[in-house]
Amino acid sequence: MRWPYDPNARCRTTERRFWLGAMIFLAVALPIDLVEDPLQSAQAGDAHYSGKQGQILVVNVPTDGGVTGVEGTFLGRSLSFFPDTRFEEPKGFVGLIGIDLQDEPGIHELTVKVQAGEQNQTFTYRVQVLKEKFHVERLTLPKNKVDLDEKSLARWQAEQAQVKEMLANDSPTKLWQGGFVEPVAGKRTGIFGSVRVMNGQARNPHNGEDIGAPLGTPVAATNDGVVRLTVDHFFSGKGVFLDHGLGFYSMYFHLDEVLVKDGDVVKAGQIVGKVGASGRATGPHLHWGVKLNGARVNPYALLDLPFKGSVQSAAPVPVTVPGSGVGAPDP
Ligand SMILES: [Zn+2]
């Protein structure tokens, strides 16, 4: 029996038909490391895929019409799917799964709920999270930026609460489109996810990528969105949080200057600030971070997503890159 099966519906052939070709296909979006078992049967729910910590999985749900919504859950995080407009006619829904840099390696369940009017069906898939070998980074920073005094600790906690509250209110619609822009075409330090040892003490892993660029280099928005929050925080310094909708945020920290304000609507490539060394940073650089439904992913994974548009990298390439600094929004 195929789902949805409604023996009383004589005139709902379209609704019955939509599901026939429904299947799920996952592809990994960064250094291809996809282990894909043969898809035996989507309805058996035993497809098996994998991606490394910090990567983004693209989940396609081809449908045959009649589907009104698709949503999913992975490791307790809610996933929003959106109509796939990459083709001339809608071919279904697509969603992005972020694998957090600290997601436990191993097999985890991905559940996908497909809604068709009043009816819905849930499918379960197995996703293998592979361990990424992150660097260990040893930093020496001013003592007062590592061992916080009471006042700084209270400030940091209030800032954390502010960010947490902001991230809890996802925009219900997808605001981004087309391809993604590299905010600064500088020198990547490749330290996303690195385990940090500051002044000899182990701290939270580095949750973004640092890009070395001269002071004042323009920083471009990676895609369309809304400026959800501009801050001047203890660790991240002057920063911009862009909301791209459906639980997808990009962050730009340690800026010298913020050129947008809360609530501004920005386009991909629009300059939102200038590279600086504000907050906890050892020199001018951009800390670029991305959160997808709460998962901290490598921002460079965005550039390899199969959503190409006409946008180009807007930030000029710096001629020289003085010693790229590093910093962190978390202690
Ligand atoms: Zn950083």
Side-chain angles (χ1 to χ4, degrees):
M1 185 192 301
R2 284 203 175 92
W3 181 89
Y5 178 71
D6 182 356
N8 302 316
R10 294 200 184 110
C11 309
R12 296 168 68 192
T13 47
T14 319
E15 259 190 55
R16 284 217 298 275
R17 199 154 44 83
F18 84 86
W19 186 247
L20 301 185
M23 56 173 282
I24 290 185
F25 165 79
L26 293 94
V28 78
L30 242 201
I32 301 299
D33 200 359
L34 181 66
V35 180
E36 186 175 338
D37 288 349
L39 186 66
Q40 294 164 17
S41 160
Q43 278 150 322
D46 54 5
H48 174 165
Y49 305 89
S50 78
K52 282 185 172 177
Q53 292 168 320
Q55 290 189 334
I56 298 172
L57 298 172
V58 179
V59 184
N60 294 308
V61 184
T63 56
D64 199 9
V67 172
T68 49
V70 179
E71 55 190 53
T73 310
F74 182 65
L75 285 169
R77 303 190 288 265
S78 298
L79 311 171
S80 301
F81 288 69
F82 46 89
D84 195 346
T85 54
R86 287 174 292 168
F87 310 102
E88 280 187 9
E89 51 185 283
K91 288 284 200 302
F93 285 73
V94 64
L96 305 177
I97 301 183
I99 301 179
D100 187 85
L101 58 90
Q102 286 188 305
D103 276 347
E104 196 66 37
I107 303 285
H108 302 285
E109 277 189 358
L110 159 68
T111 56
V112 176
K113 189 167 98 179
V114 178
Q115 189 86 29
E118 297 291 295
Q119 309 190 61
N120 66 67
Q121 178 84 331
T122 301
F123 296 88
T124 304
Y125 296 89
R126 294 184 303 144
V127 176
Q128 184 175 23
V129 171
L130 298 170
K131 191 168 176 56
E132 177 64 283
K133 200 167 182 290
F134 294 119
H135 294 115
V136 176
E137 198 186 359
R138 293 177 198 282
L139 299 169
T140 303
L141 290 151
K143 197 172 179 323
N144 65 356
K145 289 282 184 185
V146 178
D147 303 308
L148 305 192
D149 58 31
E150 215 170 285
K151 194 172 154 218
S152 303
L153 188 63
R155 176 183 162 185
W156 172 70
Q157 284 168 342
E159 292 168 353
Q160 290 286 95
Q162 182 190 21
V163 170
K164 197 174 168 196
E165 190 191 331
M166 183 270 303
L167 292 174
N169 295 301
D170 298 341
S171 291
T173 52
K174 171 175 163 281
L175 304 173
W176 60 273
Q177 56 188 324
F180 289 82
V181 170
E182 189 175 5
V184 169
K187 183 186 161 205
R188 294 186 208 180
T189 49
I191 56 168
F192 170 80
S194 59
V195 177
R196 310 194 106 177
V197 180
M198 295 184 183
N199 299 356
Q201 305 169 36
R203 291 301 165 103
N204 284 348
H206 187 244
N207 58 14
E209 186 57 277
D210 287 345
I211 312 168
L215 187 75
T217 302
V219 174
T222 192
N223 211 310
D224 298 359
V226 172
V227 178
R228 188 56 62 206
L229 191 66
T230 55
V231 297
D232 188 355
H233 281 173
F234 186 78
F235 287 116
S236 49
K238 291 180 184 167
V240 175
F241 290 80
L242 291 186
D243 178 356
H244 303 289
L246 303 179
F248 166 25
Y249 298 88
S250 63
M251 291 145 245
Y252 311 82
F253 294 156
H254 305 303
L255 301 175
D256 188 53
E257 207 180 330
V258 171
L259 299 173
V260 287
K261 53 187 192 309
D262 295 10
D264 280 359
V265 173
V266 297
K267 302 300 281 180
Q270 186 177 329
I271 304 306
V272 297
K274 291 179 178 177
V275 168
S278 57
R280 184 171 67 187
T282 59
H285 73 283
L286 173 70
H287 172 103
W288 182 26
V290 167
K291 264 197 173 179
L292 258 181
N293 306 109
R296 300 159 295 175
V297 298
N298 189 329
Y300 281 96
L302 298 179
L303 304 186
D304 297 319
L305 287 176
F307 300 95
K308 300 301 175 196
S310 56
V311 290
Q312 298 293 321
S313 189
V317 179
V319 180
T320 55
V321 180
S324 62
V326 291
D330 298 327

